[in-house]
Structure formats: structure tokens, C-alpha cells
Amino acid sequence: MYTITLSNGTRLENLVLNGNNYISETIIPDSAFDGGLDTVIISDGETEKTYYDMVLLNNRIDDGKSWFILGEKTKTKKKEEALNKYLEEIGSAINILLGI
């Protein structure tokens, strides 16, 4: 059984791993992952591994169970997010200068 601890304090316990899908007997809403994927600790009960900058790739309900996949952000995704943040900051600065 696996346990996943998210950086927002959420603990997902008693998970089964099937391929790259973690399966939970209870339904886990996407919102459980909000603000929790910066640092993710995954334990199989014997070993523990810490991941940084993860994304929720998929979360589906099948037979009353949540099947979800987490993945690490690619360098391209990180660059895209940094660029978008920079563009938002520039837009805000322009609005302030224009008095909008």
C-alpha cells in the first residue's frame, strides 16, 4: 500500500499502484491536489521518495474508486509557467502606469 503526502497537508493513504495509476477506494476530488503538488512525498511503506513540481495528469472515477496519475513537470512546462507569470507582472505594471 502507498501513502502520498502533499505539500498542502493532504495525506492520501491505502493506495494501490497499478501501472502509473494510484487507486483509492474513496473518491478523491481534483481540489484535493490544489496547492499540494509543489512537494510530494510518496511512500510504499518501506521507502520514501520526495518529488518537486508535480502535476495531476489524470483523475478519474471508475467503479467508485479514484484512479489518478501524478507526474513531474517538464522543463518546458516550468519555462512556460515562468513566462506566463512574467507576462502577468508586466501587464499589471502597465495597468498601474496607465491608471487602469
Side-chain angles (χ1 to χ4, degrees):
M1 293 295 213
Y2 286 80
T3 299
I4 297 177
T5 305
L6 306 178
S7 56
N8 64 8
T10 301
R11 262 178 82 86
L12 308 171
E13 299 178 308
N14 299 317
L15 304 171
V16 175
L17 184 61
N18 183 347
N20 60 352
N21 288 271
Y22 290 96
I23 305 166
S24 171
E25 292 289 328
T26 59
I27 295 174
I28 301 170
D30 288 355
S31 61
F33 298 94
D34 290 348
L37 297 174
D38 295 332
T39 303
V40 176
I41 301 168
I42 300 177
S43 171
D44 64 5
E46 293 180 19
T47 59
E48 184 176 279
K49 186 164 182 186
T50 302
Y51 297 88
Y52 301 96
D53 293 328
M54 295 195 86
V55 291
L56 178 63
L57 298 173
N58 190 23
N59 186 16
R60 67 183 170 88
I61 308 303
D62 189 5
D63 228 6
K65 300 175 184 178
S66 281
W67 291 59
F68 64 94
I69 302 171
L70 298 176
E72 293 182 271
K73 287 182 188 176
T74 63
K75 288 182 183 181
T76 302
K77 179 68 174 169
K78 290 179 186 182
K79 286 179 184 179
E80 178 185 311
E81 288 177 351
L83 177 61
N84 286 337
K85 182 178 177 185
Y86 179 69
L87 292 173
E88 286 176 17
E89 290 171 356
I90 289 174
S92 293
I94 290 171
N95 288 339
I96 290 170
L97 290 172
L98 296 176
I100 298 175

Coordinates of all heavy atoms in Angstrom, one line a residue:
M1 N 0.8 -1.2 0.0 CA 0.0 0.0 0.0 C 0.9 1.2 0.0 O 1.9 1.3 0.7 CB -0.9 0.0 1.2 CG -2.0 -1.0 1.2 SD -3.1 -0.8 -0.1 CE -4.6 -1.4 0.6
Y2 N 0.4 2.3 -0.7 CA 1.2 3.5 -0.8 C 0.5 4.6 -0.1 O -0.8 4.6 0.1 CB 1.2 3.9 -2.3 CG 2.2 3.1 -3.1 CD1 1.9 1.8 -3.6 CD2 3.5 3.6 -3.4 CE1 2.8 1.0 -4.3 CE2 4.4 2.8 -4.1 CZ 4.0 1.5 -4.5 OH 4.9 0.8 -5.2
T3 N 1.3 5.6 0.4 CA 0.8 6.8 1.0 C 1.4 8.0 0.3 O 2.6 7.9 0.0 CB 1.2 6.8 2.5 OG1 0.6 5.7 3.2 CG2 0.7 8.1 3.1
I4 N 0.6 8.9 -0.1 CA 1.1 10.1 -0.7 C 0.8 11.3 0.2 O -0.4 11.5 0.6 CB 0.5 10.3 -2.1 CG1 0.9 9.2 -3.0 CG2 0.9 11.7 -2.7 CD1 0.3 9.2 -4.4
T5 N 1.8 12.1 0.5 CA 1.6 13.3 1.3 C 1.9 14.5 0.4 O 3.0 14.6 -0.1 CB 2.6 13.3 2.5 OG1 2.4 12.1 3.3 CG2 2.3 14.5 3.4
L6 N 0.9 15.4 0.3 CA 1.0 16.6 -0.5 C 1.5 17.8 0.4 O 1.3 17.8 1.6 CB -0.4 16.9 -1.1 CG -1.0 15.7 -1.9 CD1 -2.4 16.2 -2.4 CD2 -0.1 15.3 -3.0
S7 N 2.0 18.8 -0.3 CA 2.5 19.9 0.4 C 1.4 20.8 1.1 O 1.7 21.6 1.9 CB 3.4 20.8 -0.5 OG 2.7 21.2 -1.6
N8 N 0.2 20.6 0.7 CA -0.9 21.3 1.3 C -1.4 20.6 2.6 O -2.4 20.9 3.2 CB -2.1 21.5 0.4 CG -2.7 20.2 -0.1 OD1 -2.5 19.1 0.4 ND2 -3.6 20.4 -1.1
G9 N -0.7 19.5 3.0 CA -1.1 18.7 4.2 C -2.0 17.5 3.9 O -2.2 16.7 4.8
T10 N -2.5 17.4 2.7 CA -3.4 16.2 2.4 C -2.6 15.0 2.4 O -1.5 14.9 1.8 CB -4.0 16.5 1.0 OG1 -4.8 17.7 1.1 CG2 -4.9 15.3 0.7
R11 N -3.1 13.9 3.1 CA -2.5 12.6 3.1 C -3.4 11.6 2.4 O -4.6 11.5 2.8 CB -2.2 12.1 4.5 CG -0.8 12.3 5.0 CD -0.7 11.9 6.4 NE -0.4 10.4 6.5 CZ 0.8 9.9 6.5 NH1 1.8 10.6 6.2 NH2 0.9 8.6 6.6
L12 N -3.0 11.0 1.3 CA -3.8 10.0 0.6 C -3.2 8.6 1.0 O -2.0 8.4 0.7 CB -3.7 10.2 -0.9 CG -4.0 11.7 -1.3 CD1 -3.7 11.9 -2.8 CD2 -5.5 12.0 -1.0
E13 N -4.0 7.8 1.7 CA -3.5 6.6 2.3 C -4.2 5.4 1.7 O -5.2 5.5 1.0 CB -3.7 6.6 3.8 CG -2.9 7.7 4.4 CD -3.1 7.8 5.9 OE1 -4.3 7.8 6.4 OE2 -2.1 7.8 6.7
N14 N -3.5 4.2 1.9 CA -4.0 2.9 1.4 C -4.3 2.9 -0.1 O -5.3 2.4 -0.6 CB -5.3 2.6 2.2 CG -5.1 2.5 3.7 OD1 -4.1 1.9 4.1 ND2 -6.0 3.1 4.4
L15 N -3.3 3.4 -0.8 CA -3.4 3.5 -2.3 C -2.7 2.2 -2.8 O -1.7 1.7 -2.3 CB -2.7 4.7 -2.8 CG -3.1 6.0 -2.3 CD1 -2.2 7.2 -2.7 CD2 -4.6 6.3 -2.7
V16 N -3.3 1.7 -3.9 CA -2.7 0.6 -4.7 C -2.1 1.2 -6.0 O -2.7 2.1 -6.6 CB -3.8 -0.4 -5.0 CG1 -3.3 -1.5 -5.9 CG2 -4.4 -1.0 -3.7
L17 N -1.0 0.7 -6.4 CA -0.4 1.2 -7.6 C -0.6 0.2 -8.7 O -0.3 -1.0 -8.6 CB 1.1 1.4 -7.4 CG 1.9 2.0 -8.6 CD1 1.4 3.4 -9.0 CD2 3.4 2.0 -8.3
N18 N -1.2 0.7 -9.8 CA -1.5 -0.2 -11.0 C -0.9 0.5 -12.2 O -1.4 1.5 -12.7 CB -3.0 -0.4 -11.2 CG -3.3 -1.3 -12.3 OD1 -2.5 -1.7 -13.1 ND2 -4.5 -1.8 -12.4
G19 N 0.3 0.1 -12.6 CA 1.0 0.8 -13.7 C 1.5 2.1 -13.1 O 2.2 2.2 -12.2
N20 N 1.0 3.2 -13.7 CA 1.3 4.5 -13.2 C 0.1 5.2 -12.5 O 0.1 6.4 -12.2 CB 1.9 5.5 -14.2 CG 1.0 5.7 -15.4 OD1 -0.1 5.1 -15.5 ND2 1.4 6.6 -16.3
N21 N -1.0 4.4 -12.3 CA -2.2 4.9 -11.6 C -2.2 4.5 -10.2 O -1.9 3.3 -9.8 CB -3.4 4.2 -12.2 CG -3.8 4.7 -13.6 OD1 -4.5 5.6 -13.7 ND2 -3.2 4.0 -14.6
Y22 N -2.4 5.5 -9.3 CA -2.7 5.2 -7.9 C -4.2 5.1 -7.8 O -5.0 5.8 -8.4 CB -2.2 6.3 -7.0 CG -0.7 6.4 -7.0 CD1 0.0 7.3 -7.8 CD2 0.0 5.6 -6.1 CE1 1.4 7.3 -7.8 CE2 1.4 5.6 -6.1 CZ 2.1 6.5 -6.9 OH 3.5 6.5 -6.9
I23 N -4.6 4.0 -7.0 CA -6.0 3.8 -6.9 C -6.4 3.9 -5.4 O -5.8 3.3 -4.6 CB -6.4 2.3 -7.4 CG1 -5.9 2.1 -8.8 CG2 -7.9 2.1 -7.3 CD1 -5.9 0.7 -9.3
S24 N -7.5 4.7 -5.2 CA -8.0 4.9 -3.9 C -9.4 4.3 -3.8 O -10.2 4.5 -4.7 CB -8.1 6.4 -3.6 OG -8.8 6.7 -2.4
E25 N -9.7 3.7 -2.7 CA -11.1 3.1 -2.5 C -12.1 4.2 -2.3 O -13.3 4.0 -2.5 CB -11.1 2.2 -1.3 CG -10.3 0.9 -1.5 CD -11.0 -0.1 -2.4 OE1 -12.2 -0.1 -2.5 OE2 -10.2 -0.8 -3.1
T26 N -11.6 5.4 -2.0 CA -12.5 6.6 -1.8 C -12.3 7.5 -3.0 O -11.2 7.6 -3.5 CB -12.3 7.3 -0.5 OG1 -11.0 7.7 -0.4 CG2 -12.6 6.4 0.7
I27 N -13.3 8.3 -3.3 CA -13.2 9.3 -4.4 C -12.4 10.5 -3.9 O -12.7 11.0 -2.8 CB -14.6 9.7 -4.9 CG1 -15.3 8.4 -5.5 CG2 -14.6 10.8 -5.8 CD1 -16.8 8.6 -5.9
I28 N -11.5 10.8 -4.7 CA -10.6 12.0 -4.3 C -10.9 13.1 -5.4 O -10.6 12.9 -6.6 CB -9.1 11.6 -4.4 CG1 -8.8 10.5 -3.4 CG2 -8.3 12.8 -4.1 CD1 -7.5 9.9 -3.5
P29 N -11.4 14.2 -5.0 CA -11.7 15.3 -5.9 C -10.4 15.9 -6.4 O -9.4 15.9 -5.7 CB -12.6 16.3 -5.1 CG -12.2 16.0 -3.7 CD -11.8 14.6 -3.6
D30 N -10.4 16.5 -7.6 CA -9.3 17.2 -8.1 C -8.8 18.3 -7.1 O -7.6 18.6 -7.0 CB -9.6 17.9 -9.4 CG -9.7 16.9 -10.6 OD1 -9.4 15.7 -10.4 OD2 -10.1 17.3 -11.7
S31 N -9.8 18.9 -6.4 CA -9.4 20.0 -5.5 C -8.5 19.6 -4.4 O -7.8 20.4 -3.8 CB -10.7 20.6 -4.9 OG -11.5 19.7 -4.2
A32 N -8.5 18.3 -4.1 CA -7.6 17.8 -3.0 C -6.1 18.0 -3.4 O -5.3 18.1 -2.5 CB -7.8 16.3 -2.8
F33 N -5.8 18.2 -4.6 CA -4.5 18.4 -5.1 C -4.1 19.8 -5.2 O -2.9 20.2 -5.4 CB -4.3 17.7 -6.5 CG -4.5 16.2 -6.4 CD1 -5.7 15.6 -6.7 CD2 -3.4 15.3 -6.0 CE1 -5.9 14.3 -6.6 CE2 -3.6 14.0 -6.0 CZ -4.9 13.4 -6.3
D34 N -5.1 20.7 -5.1 CA -4.8 22.2 -5.2 C -3.8 22.6 -4.2 O -4.0 22.4 -3.0 CB -6.1 23.0 -5.1 CG -7.1 22.8 -6.2 OD1 -6.7 22.2 -7.3 OD2 -8.2 23.2 -6.1
G35 N -2.8 23.3 -4.7 CA -1.7 23.8 -3.8 C -0.9 22.7 -3.1 O -0.2 23.0 -2.1
G36 N -1.0 21.5 -3.6 CA -0.3 20.4 -2.9 C 0.7 19.7 -3.7 O 1.3 18.7 -3.2
L37 N 1.0 20.2 -4.9 CA 1.9 19.4 -5.7 C 3.3 20.0 -5.8 O 4.1 19.5 -6.6 CB 1.3 19.3 -7.1 CG 0.0 18.5 -7.1 CD1 -0.7 18.5 -8.5 CD2 0.2 17.1 -6.6
D38 N 3.6 21.1 -5.0 CA 5.0 21.6 -5.0 C 6.0 20.6 -4.5 O 7.0 20.4 -5.1 CB 5.0 22.9 -4.2 CG 4.2 24.0 -4.8 OD1 4.0 24.0 -6.0 OD2 3.7 24.8 -4.0
T39 N 5.6 20.0 -3.4 CA 6.4 18.9 -2.8 C 5.5 17.7 -2.5 O 4.5 17.9 -1.8 CB 7.1 19.4 -1.5 OG1 7.9 20.6 -1.8 CG2 8.0 18.3 -0.9
V40 N 5.8 16.6 -3.0 CA 5.0 15.4 -2.9 C 5.9 14.3 -2.4 O 7.0 14.0 -2.9 CB 4.3 15.0 -4.2 CG1 3.6 13.7 -4.0 CG2 3.4 16.1 -4.7
I41 N 5.5 13.6 -1.3 CA 6.2 12.5 -0.7 C 5.4 11.2 -0.9 O 4.3 11.2 -0.6 CB 6.5 12.7 0.8 CG1 7.3 14.0 1.0 CG2 7.2 11.5 1.4 CD1 7.3 14.4 2.5
I42 N 6.0 10.3 -1.6 CA 5.4 9.0 -1.9 C 6.1 7.9 -1.2 O 7.3 7.8 -1.3 CB 5.3 8.7 -3.4 CG1 4.6 9.8 -4.1 CG2 4.7 7.4 -3.7 CD1 4.5 9.7 -5.6
S43 N 5.4 7.1 -0.4 CA 5.9 6.0 0.4 C 5.2 4.7 0.1 O 4.0 4.7 -0.1 CB 5.8 6.3 1.9 OG 6.1 5.2 2.7
D44 N 6.0 3.7 0.0 CA 5.4 2.4 -0.3 C 5.4 1.6 1.0 O 5.1 0.4 1.0 CB 6.1 1.6 -1.3 CG 7.6 1.3 -1.0 OD1 8.0 1.6 0.2 OD2 8.3 0.7 -1.8
G45 N 5.6 2.2 2.2 CA 5.7 1.6 3.5 C 7.1 1.2 3.9 O 7.3 1.0 5.1
E46 N 8.0 1.1 2.9 CA 9.4 0.8 3.2 C 10.3 1.9 2.8 O 11.3 2.2 3.5 CB 9.8 -0.5 2.5 CG 9.1 -1.8 3.0 CD 9.5 -3.0 2.3 OE1 10.6 -3.0 1.7 OE2 8.7 -4.0 2.4
T47 N 10.1 2.4 1.7 CA 10.9 3.5 1.2 C 10.0 4.8 0.9 O 8.8 4.6 0.7 CB 11.7 3.1 -0.1 OG1 10.7 2.8 -1.1 CG2 12.6 2.0 0.1
E48 N 10.7 5.9 0.9 CA 10.0 7.2 0.7 C 10.8 8.0 -0.3 O 12.0 8.0 -0.2 CB 10.0 7.9 2.1 CG 9.2 9.1 2.1 CD 9.1 9.7 3.6 OE1 8.3 9.2 4.3 OE2 9.9 10.6 3.9
K49 N 10.1 8.6 -1.2 CA 10.7 9.5 -2.2 C 10.0 10.8 -2.3 O 8.8 10.8 -2.3 CB 10.8 8.8 -3.6 CG 11.5 9.6 -4.6 CD 11.9 8.8 -5.8 CE 12.7 9.6 -6.7 NZ 13.0 9.0 -8.0
T50 N 10.8 11.9 -2.4 CA 10.2 13.2 -2.5 C 10.4 13.7 -3.9 O 11.4 13.6 -4.5 CB 11.0 14.2 -1.5 OG1 10.9 13.6 -0.2 CG2 10.4 15.6 -1.5
Y51 N 9.3 14.3 -4.4 CA 9.2 14.8 -5.7 C 8.9 16.3 -5.6 O 8.2 16.7 -4.7 CB 8.1 14.2 -6.6 CG 8.4 12.7 -6.8 CD1 7.9 11.7 -5.9 CD2 9.1 12.3 -7.9 CE1 8.2 10.4 -6.1 CE2 9.3 10.9 -8.2 CZ 8.8 10.0 -7.2 OH 9.1 8.6 -7.4
Y52 N 9.3 17.1 -6.6 CA 9.1 18.5 -6.6 C 8.4 18.9 -7.9 O 8.7 18.3 -9.0 CB 10.4 19.3 -6.4 CG 11.1 19.0 -5.1 CD1 12.1 18.0 -5.1 CD2 10.7 19.5 -3.9 CE1 12.7 17.7 -3.9 CE2 11.3 19.2 -2.7 CZ 12.3 18.3 -2.7 OH 12.9 17.9 -1.6
D53 N 7.5 19.9 -7.8 CA 6.8 20.5 -9.0 C 6.1 19.4 -9.8 O 6.4 19.2 -11.0 CB 7.8 21.2 -9.9 CG 8.4 22.4 -9.3 OD1 7.7 23.1 -8.5 OD2 9.6 22.8 -9.6
M54 N 5.2 18.8 -9.2 CA 4.4 17.7 -9.8 C 3.1 18.3 -10.4 O 2.7 19.4 -10.1 CB 4.1 16.6 -8.9 CG 5.3 15.8 -8.4 SD 5.0 14.2 -7.7 CE 4.9 13.2 -9.2
V55 N 2.5 17.5 -11.3 CA 1.2 17.9 -11.8 C 0.2 16.7 -11.7 O 0.7 15.5 -11.7 CB 1.3 18.4 -13.3 CG1 2.0 19.7 -13.4 CG2 2.0 17.3 -14.2
L56 N -1.0 17.0 -11.7 CA -2.1 15.9 -11.7 C -2.4 15.7 -13.2 O -2.9 16.6 -13.9 CB -3.3 16.4 -11.0 CG -4.5 15.4 -11.0 CD1 -4.1 14.1 -10.3 CD2 -5.7 16.1 -10.3
L57 N -1.9 14.6 -13.7 CA -2.1 14.3 -15.1 C -3.5 13.7 -15.4 O -4.0 14.0 -16.5 CB -1.1 13.3 -15.6 CG 0.4 13.7 -15.5 CD1 1.4 12.6 -15.8 CD2 0.6 14.9 -16.4
N58 N -4.1 13.0 -14.5 CA -5.4 12.4 -14.7 C -6.0 12.0 -13.4 O -5.3 11.6 -12.4 CB -5.2 11.2 -15.6 CG -6.6 10.6 -16.1 OD1 -7.6 11.3 -16.1 ND2 -6.6 9.4 -16.4
N59 N -7.3 12.2 -13.2 CA -8.0 11.7 -12.1 C -9.4 11.3 -12.5 O -10.2 12.2 -12.9 CB -8.1 12.8 -11.0 CG -8.7 12.4 -9.7 OD1 -8.8 11.2 -9.5 ND2 -9.1 13.3 -8.9
R60 N -9.6 10.0 -12.5 CA -10.9 9.6 -13.0 C -11.6 8.6 -12.0 O -10.9 8.0 -11.1 CB -10.8 8.9 -14.3 CG -10.0 7.6 -14.3 CD -9.9 7.0 -15.7 NE -8.9 5.9 -15.7 CZ -9.3 4.6 -15.5 NH1 -10.5 4.3 -15.2 NH2 -8.4 3.7 -15.5
I61 N -12.9 8.6 -12.0 CA -13.6 7.7 -11.2 C -14.0 6.5 -12.0 O -14.6 6.6 -13.1 CB -14.9 8.4 -10.6 CG1 -14.6 9.7 -10.0 CG2 -15.6 7.5 -9.6 CD1 -13.6 9.7 -8.9
D62 N -13.7 5.3 -11.4 CA -14.1 4.1 -12.1 C -14.5 3.1 -11.0 O -13.7 2.8 -10.1 CB -12.9 3.5 -12.9 CG -13.3 2.3 -13.8 OD1 -14.4 2.0 -13.9 OD2 -12.3 1.8 -14.4
D63 N -15.7 2.6 -11.1 CA -16.2 1.6 -10.1 C -16.2 2.1 -8.7 O -15.9 1.4 -7.8 CB -15.4 0.3 -10.2 CG -16.3 -0.9 -10.3 OD1 -17.5 -0.8 -10.4 OD2 -15.7 -2.0 -10.3
G64 N -16.5 3.5 -8.5 CA -16.5 4.1 -7.2 C -15.1 4.3 -6.6 O -15.0 4.6 -5.4
K65 N -14.1 4.2 -7.4 CA -12.7 4.4 -6.9 C -12.1 5.5 -7.7 O -12.4 5.7 -8.9 CB -11.9 3.1 -7.1 CG -12.4 1.9 -6.3 CD -11.6 0.7 -6.6 CE -12.2 -0.5 -5.9 NZ -11.5 -1.8 -6.2
S66 N -11.1 6.2 -7.1 CA -10.4 7.2 -7.8 C -9.1 6.6 -8.4 O -8.4 5.9 -7.7 CB -10.0 8.4 -6.9 OG -11.0 9.3 -6.7
W67 N -8.9 6.8 -9.6 CA -7.6 6.4 -10.3 C -7.0 7.7 -10.7 O -7.5 8.4 -11.5 CB -7.9 5.6 -11.6 CG -8.5 4.2 -11.3 CD1 -9.7 3.9 -10.7 CD2 -8.0 3.0 -11.7 NE1 -9.9 2.6 -10.7 CE2 -8.9 1.9 -11.3 CE3 -6.9 2.6 -12.4 CZ2 -8.7 0.6 -11.6 CZ3 -6.7 1.3 -12.7 CH2 -7.6 0.3 -12.3
F68 N -5.8 7.9 -10.2 CA -5.1 9.2 -10.5 C -3.6 9.0 -10.9 O -3.0 8.0 -10.4 CB -5.3 10.2 -9.5 CG -4.6 9.9 -8.1 CD1 -3.3 10.4 -7.9 CD2 -5.3 9.2 -7.2 CE1 -2.7 10.1 -6.7 CE2 -4.7 8.9 -6.0 CZ -3.4 9.3 -5.7
I69 N -3.1 9.9 -11.7 CA -1.7 9.8 -12.1 C -1.1 11.2 -11.8 O -1.6 12.2 -12.2 CB -1.6 9.6 -13.6 CG1 -2.3 8.3 -14.0 CG2 -0.2 9.5 -14.1 CD1 -2.4 8.0 -15.5
L70 N 0.1 11.1 -11.1 CA 0.9 12.3 -10.9 C 2.1 12.2 -11.7 O 2.7 11.1 -12.0 CB 1.3 12.4 -9.4 CG 0.2 12.5 -8.4 CD1 0.7 12.5 -7.0 CD2 -0.7 13.7 -8.6
G71 N 2.6 13.3 -12.2 CA 3.9 13.4 -13.0 C 4.7 14.6 -12.6 O 4.1 15.6 -12.1
E72 N 5.9 14.6 -12.9 CA 6.8 15.7 -12.7 C 6.7 16.7 -13.8 O 6.5 16.3 -15.0 CB 8.2 15.3 -12.5 CG 8.5 14.5 -11.2 CD 9.9 14.1 -11.1 OE1 10.3 13.0 -11.6 OE2 10.7 14.8 -10.4
K73 N 6.7 18.0 -13.5 CA 6.6 19.0 -14.6 C 7.8 18.9 -15.5 O 9.0 18.7 -15.0 CB 6.5 20.4 -14.0 CG 5.2 20.7 -13.4 CD 5.3 22.2 -12.9 CE 4.0 22.5 -12.1 NZ 4.1 23.8 -11.5
T74 N 7.7 19.1 -16.7 CA 8.8 19.1 -17.7 C 9.5 20.5 -17.6 O 8.9 21.4 -17.1 CB 8.3 18.8 -19.1 OG1 7.4 19.9 -19.5 CG2 7.6 17.5 -19.2
K75 N 10.7 20.5 -18.1 CA 11.4 21.8 -18.1 C 10.6 22.8 -19.0 O 10.5 24.0 -18.6 CB 12.8 21.6 -18.7 CG 13.8 20.9 -17.7 CD 15.1 20.8 -18.3 CE 16.0 20.0 -17.4 NZ 17.4 19.9 -17.9
T76 N 10.0 22.3 -20.0 CA 9.2 23.2 -20.9 C 8.0 23.8 -20.2 O 7.7 25.0 -20.3 CB 8.7 22.4 -22.2 OG1 9.9 21.9 -22.9 CG2 7.9 23.3 -23.1
K77 N 7.3 23.0 -19.4 CA 6.2 23.4 -18.6 C 6.6 24.5 -17.6 O 5.9 25.5 -17.4 CB 5.5 22.2 -17.9 CG 4.3 22.6 -17.1 CD 3.2 23.1 -17.9 CE 1.9 23.3 -17.1 NZ 0.9 24.0 -17.8
K78 N 7.7 24.2 -16.9 CA 8.3 25.2 -15.9 C 8.6 26.5 -16.6 O 8.3 27.6 -16.1 CB 9.5 24.6 -15.2 CG 9.2 23.5 -14.3 CD 10.4 23.0 -13.6 CE 10.2 21.7 -12.8 NZ 11.4 21.3 -12.1
K79 N 9.2 26.5 -17.8 CA 9.5 27.7 -18.5 C 8.3 28.4 -18.9 O 8.2 29.6 -18.8 CB 10.4 27.4 -19.7 CG 11.8 27.0 -19.4 CD 12.6 26.7 -20.7 CE 14.0 26.3 -20.4 NZ 14.8 25.9 -21.6
E80 N 7.3 27.7 -19.4 CA 6.0 28.3 -19.8 C 5.3 29.0 -18.6 O 4.8 30.1 -18.7 CB 5.1 27.2 -20.3 CG 3.7 27.6 -20.7 CD 2.8 26.4 -21.1 OE1 3.3 25.6 -21.9 OE2 1.7 26.4 -20.6
E81 N 5.3 28.3 -17.4 CA 4.7 28.9 -16.3 C 5.5 30.2 -15.8 O 4.8 31.2 -15.5 CB 4.7 27.9 -15.1 CG 3.6 26.8 -15.3 CD 3.6 25.8 -14.2 OE1 4.6 25.8 -13.3 OE2 2.7 25.0 -14.2
A82 N 6.8 30.2 -15.9 CA 7.6 31.3 -15.5 C 7.3 32.5 -16.5 O 7.2 33.6 -16.1 CB 9.1 31.0 -15.5
L83 N 7.2 32.2 -17.8 CA 6.9 33.2 -18.8 C 5.6 33.8 -18.6 O 5.4 35.0 -18.6 CB 7.1 32.6 -20.2 CG 6.7 33.6 -21.4 CD1 7.6 34.8 -21.4 CD2 6.8 32.8 -22.7
N84 N 4.6 33.0 -18.3 CA 3.2 33.5 -18.1 C 3.2 34.4 -16.9 O 2.5 35.4 -16.9 CB 2.2 32.3 -17.9 CG 1.9 31.6 -19.3 OD1 2.1 32.2 -20.3 ND2 1.5 30.4 -19.2
K85 N 3.9 34.0 -15.8 CA 3.9 34.8 -14.6 C 4.6 36.2 -14.9 O 4.1 37.2 -14.5 CB 4.7 34.1 -13.5 CG 4.7 34.9 -12.2 CD 5.5 34.1 -11.1 CE 5.6 34.9 -9.8 NZ 6.3 34.3 -8.8
Y86 N 5.7 36.1 -15.7 CA 6.4 37.3 -16.0 C 5.4 38.3 -16.9 O 5.4 39.5 -16.6 CB 7.6 37.0 -16.8 CG 8.4 38.2 -17.3 CD1 9.1 39.0 -16.4 CD2 8.5 38.5 -18.7 CE1 9.9 40.1 -16.8 CE2 9.3 39.5 -19.1 CZ 9.9 40.3 -18.2 OH 10.7 41.4 -18.6
L87 N 4.7 37.7 -17.8 CA 3.8 38.5 -18.7 C 2.7 39.1 -17.8 O 2.3 40.2 -18.1 CB 3.2 37.6 -19.8 CG 4.2 37.2 -20.9 CD1 3.6 36.2 -21.8 CD2 4.8 38.4 -21.6
E88 N 2.2 38.3 -16.8 CA 1.1 38.9 -16.0 C 1.7 40.0 -15.2 O 1.0 41.0 -15.0 CB 0.6 37.8 -15.0 CG -0.2 36.7 -15.6 CD -0.6 35.6 -14.7 OE1 -0.5 35.8 -13.4 OE2 -1.1 34.6 -15.2
E89 N 2.9 39.9 -14.7 CA 3.5 41.0 -13.9 C 3.7 42.3 -14.8 O 3.5 43.4 -14.3 CB 4.9 40.6 -13.3 CG 4.7 39.6 -12.2 CD 6.0 38.9 -11.8 OE1 7.1 39.3 -12.4 OE2 6.0 38.2 -10.8
I90 N 4.1 42.1 -16.0 CA 4.3 43.2 -17.0 C 2.9 43.8 -17.2 O 2.8 45.0 -17.2 CB 4.9 42.7 -18.3 CG1 6.4 42.4 -18.0 CG2 4.8 43.8 -19.4 CD1 7.1 41.8 -19.2
G91 N 1.9 43.0 -17.4 CA 0.6 43.5 -17.7 C 0.1 44.3 -16.5 O -0.5 45.4 -16.7
S92 N 0.3 43.9 -15.3 CA -0.1 44.6 -14.1 C 0.6 45.9 -14.0 O 0.0 47.0 -13.6 CB 0.2 43.8 -12.8 OG -0.7 42.6 -12.8
A93 N 1.9 45.9 -14.3 CA 2.7 47.1 -14.2 C 2.2 48.1 -15.2 O 2.1 49.3 -14.9 CB 4.2 46.8 -14.4
I94 N 1.9 47.7 -16.4 CA 1.4 48.6 -17.5 C 0.1 49.2 -17.0 O -0.2 50.4 -17.2 CB 1.3 47.9 -18.8 CG1 2.7 47.6 -19.4 CG2 0.4 48.7 -19.8 CD1 2.7 46.7 -20.6
N95 N -0.8 48.4 -16.5 CA -2.1 48.9 -16.0 C -1.9 49.9 -14.9 O -2.6 50.9 -14.9 CB -3.0 47.7 -15.5 CG -3.5 46.9 -16.6 OD1 -3.6 47.3 -17.7 ND2 -3.9 45.6 -16.2
I96 N -1.0 49.7 -14.0 CA -0.7 50.7 -13.0 C -0.2 52.0 -13.6 O -0.6 53.1 -13.3 CB 0.3 50.2 -11.9 CG1 -0.3 49.1 -11.1 CG2 0.9 51.3 -11.1 CD1 0.6 48.3 -10.2
L97 N 0.7 51.9 -14.6 CA 1.3 53.1 -15.2 C 0.2 53.9 -16.0 O 0.2 55.1 -16.0 CB 2.4 52.7 -16.2 CG 3.7 52.3 -15.5 CD1 4.7 51.8 -16.6 CD2 4.3 53.4 -14.8
L98 N -0.8 53.1 -16.6 CA -1.8 53.8 -17.4 C -3.0 54.2 -16.5 O -3.9 54.8 -16.9 CB -2.3 52.8 -18.5 CG -1.3 52.5 -19.5 CD1 -1.9 51.4 -20.5 CD2 -0.9 53.7 -20.3
G99 N -3.0 53.8 -15.2 CA -4.0 54.1 -14.3 C -5.3 53.3 -14.5 O -6.4 53.8 -14.3
I100 N -5.2 52.1 -15.1 CA -6.3 51.3 -15.4 C -6.7 50.5 -14.2 O -5.9 49.9 -13.5 CB -6.1 50.4 -16.6 CG1 -5.8 51.2 -17.8 CG2 -7.2 49.5 -16.8 CD1 -5.4 50.4 -19.0

